[in-house]
Amino acid sequence: MTDTFESEEDAITSEEITGISIPSSTETVSTTPPTRNAFSALMSPQPKHPSRAPPALSSTYTSSLNPRNNLGAYISSPTSFPPSTVLSHTPTSVVINDRYPKSSVHILLLPRDASKTLLHPLSALQNDPAFLSQIQIEVSTLRQRVASELRRLYGKYSAGEIARREAMERESAPAPGGDLPPGRDWSKSIISGVHLSPSMNHLHIHILSTDRFSPCMKHRKHYNSFNTPFLIPVEDFPLGEGDERLKKGVGRTYLESELRCWRCGKGFGNRFARLKEHLEEEFDKWKRE
């Protein structure tokens, strides 16, 4: 496949850009509730009020002519996707599993505000305090849910969870709602933010575990897009006037910078294959902390 859809500041390949299948407009959506996995159930909100239908979106959002618009399908028609893909949706946002995750847990928050969703993140998050506050609150909530998923996946390996596990296993374990040892703070193992130069057109916020361990992590740009200032944490907004990340062309510099382990800081130059081997070693150490 040619690189028709790639640019120098793309952190993903043209195969990834074009890799999301958009449901046909004539596709029938089943009304039978599908079986959900544990993470889908965890992520699903518990509404206190009847849900409202989001405002209708222009066909621009799901245009098949430009694959960079493919995230729009999730925004306009989240029920067209299985719960293993769309984890939750409300009138204001959709949460999905990243199709090409760059860590063992990697989700995306897709705002549904039609006045914001096709804006560059630096515009959407920099110039509207109310919208920024809404996004920061949603990201904070999702970080806690991802932390719970990390505990579910890796708690049995973690030294920091031993006292908590033992308390839960004892016959004298506290009743539901009682006190338990806090265990490992998995929220410290999560990063979240927007890319300085997104490859997809619709506004999306990444929330992922710090391990950067995934079969989809395949080259330097993949890694550096989540291990350099190319990923801007949502809590950093609004950026100051002199912030380096606002400089033209700086995204390419970040993507092409030296490869360096996120955990121990060891440098690997441009040797991605060696870094990949090292990341597997660090992943095992990280989950056992």
Side-chain angles (χ1 to χ4, degrees):
M1 181 180 293
T2 63
D3 293 340
T4 305
F5 300 109
E6 291 185 49
S7 73
E8 291 180 341
E9 291 196 5
D10 274 330
I12 62 177
T13 64
S14 59
E15 287 83 355
E16 291 171 295
I17 292 171
T18 59
I20 298 173
S21 299
I22 299 179
S24 165
S25 59
T26 59
E27 182 177 343
T28 301
V29 179
S30 172
T31 57
T32 303
T35 303
R36 298 185 296 172
N37 59 32
F39 195 31
S40 300
L42 176 69
M43 296 297 296
S44 297
Q46 303 299 317
K48 297 181 180 180
H49 306 285
S51 60
R52 296 177 289 107
L57 297 177
S58 163
S59 60
T60 303
Y61 288 75
T62 55
S63 170
S64 60
L65 299 179
N66 185 350
R68 291 185 188 273
N69 285 340
N70 283 357
L71 288 179
Y74 300 113
I75 296 170
S76 63
S77 187
T79 57
S80 297
F81 296 89
S84 58
T85 299
V86 173
L87 300 173
S88 65
H89 59 91
T90 70
T92 61
S93 64
V94 179
V95 180
I96 67 172
N97 273 319
D98 194 300
R99 185 179 176 92
Y100 301 99
K102 301 307 186 292
S103 280
S104 60
V105 178
H106 186 174
I107 65 175
L108 301 179
L109 170 65
L110 309 176
R112 303 183 83 176
D113 185 332
S115 69
K116 297 290 192 296
T117 191
L118 285 175
L119 293 180
H120 189 284
L122 293 184
S123 296
L125 301 180
Q126 187 78 355
N127 302 318
D128 188 334
F131 181 69
L132 172 60
S133 177
Q134 172 195 325
I135 294 300
Q136 289 173 333
I137 290 171
E138 289 194 65
V139 168
S140 178
T141 299
L142 291 173
R143 287 175 64 97
Q144 291 304 313
R145 292 179 177 177
V146 170
S148 295
E149 175 68 356
L150 291 177
R151 169 169 280 154
R152 185 185 73 83
L153 290 172
Y154 306 125
K156 60 186 175 182
Y157 306 110
S158 175
E161 294 283 356
I162 291 177
R164 182 182 176 88
R165 289 200 308 270
E166 290 177 345
M168 294 177 69
E169 291 169 359
R170 287 196 299 266
E171 291 184 1
S172 58
D179 292 332
L180 281 172
R184 178 172 171 177
D185 185 358
W186 291 98
S187 67
K188 294 180 178 179
S189 295
I190 299 167
I191 56 175
S192 54
V194 295
H195 277 155
L196 183 59
S197 181
S199 298
M200 305 301 286
N201 286 340
H202 290 79
L203 179 62
H204 56 284
I205 298 91
H206 297 267
I207 302 100
L208 63 159
S209 51
T210 55
D211 53 271
R212 284 86 157 180
F213 183 68
S214 167
C216 296
M217 182 72 78
K218 294 183 177 181
H219 55 66
R220 178 194 288 204
K221 286 186 176 182
H222 278 166
Y223 183 77
N224 279 341
S225 70
F226 291 101
N227 201 52
T228 69
F230 191 86
L231 182 74
I232 307 177
V234 293
E235 59 267 24
D236 285 7
F237 286 95
L239 304 182
E241 185 176 342
D243 196 297
E244 181 185 67
R245 292 167 291 187
L246 295 175
K247 295 180 180 178
K248 184 178 180 179
V250 72
R252 181 180 177 184
T253 301
Y254 293 141
L255 291 178
E256 295 180 352
S257 60
E258 178 189 14
L259 294 167
R260 190 167 295 277
C261 175
W262 67 272
R263 188 169 182 271
C264 71
K266 182 178 180 179
F268 289 86
N270 61 357
R271 297 173 297 161
F272 181 77
R274 180 65 190 95
L275 170 67
K276 184 80 170 179
E277 295 172 357
H278 180 78
L279 290 177
E280 184 170 3
E281 298 167 3
E282 293 288 17
F283 174 70
D284 187 64
K285 296 175 183 176
W286 165 77
K287 71 181 183 182
R288 295 181 185 278
E289 288 179 354

